[in-house]
Structures are given as C-alpha cells and as structure tokens.
Amino acid sequence: MPTFRHELDAFTAEGGESQAAIRARALLALEHIWQGGGERVLVVSHGGFLNSMLRELLQTPRAWFKFGDTSFATVGLNRRNHTAVVTGVNLCPHLPAGQTG
C-alpha cells in the first residue's frame, strides 16, 4: 500500500472509516451546529474527527492540528459574516504543567 493516498480514497485498512466518510460526517455535524443556533456548543470526539471539522471550517484541506489526550480547541463562529476564528488548539489548562498532550 502506498505511504500516501488521496484523502477521498475509499480504501480503509481493516474496515476503518475512510477520510471521505469522516469528512462527510464532519460536514453534517457542522451543519447541525450551525442550524442549531446555540451560543455555546461542546463537541466531544477524537483528534481525527476534530481535525476534519477544523479543516472544513477553515477551508484548509491539508492542515493538521495537534490534539493531545483530553485537550480541546476553541472556535468562534460568526453567523452574520460566515466566518470561523480558531482561538486555541491543543489546550490543556485542566492538566498539571508537564502533563499536556
């Protein structure tokens, strides 16, 4: 298997979820969040899925964001001008110093 494969390749090792399927799920989640209209929303997931959500929000298909164990990102969404502002990634203020991801 090639070291690099296209992000929309349907092949997955050992029956896992393809990048295209993760992207589709991330887009659906973002649509639900956007339509929900809430002022604050908490999304709990793994780093791969959160990366897909951030890539879609920022329209950066090749970006990668580090997420350590129990870390989180903060994002501001502006419904008026349809913008997203990432205000933090891989945040771990709940962990003692030296134990961050």
Side-chain angles (χ1 to χ4, degrees), residues 1-7 9 62:
M1 183 168 103
T3 304
F4 174 83
R5 60 187 172 91
H6 191 272
E7 67 182 35
D9 190 348
R62 296 285 181 212

Side-chain angles (χ1 to χ4, degrees), residues 40-63:
R40 292 181 183 260
V41 177
L42 173 66
V43 177
V44 179
S45 190
H46 57 84
F49 184 74
L50 296 174
N51 264 281
S52 288
M53 290 183 81
L54 288 174
R55 284 193 295 266
E56 293 303 325
L57 279 173
L58 301 174
Q59 298 179 358
T60 56
R62 296 285 181 212

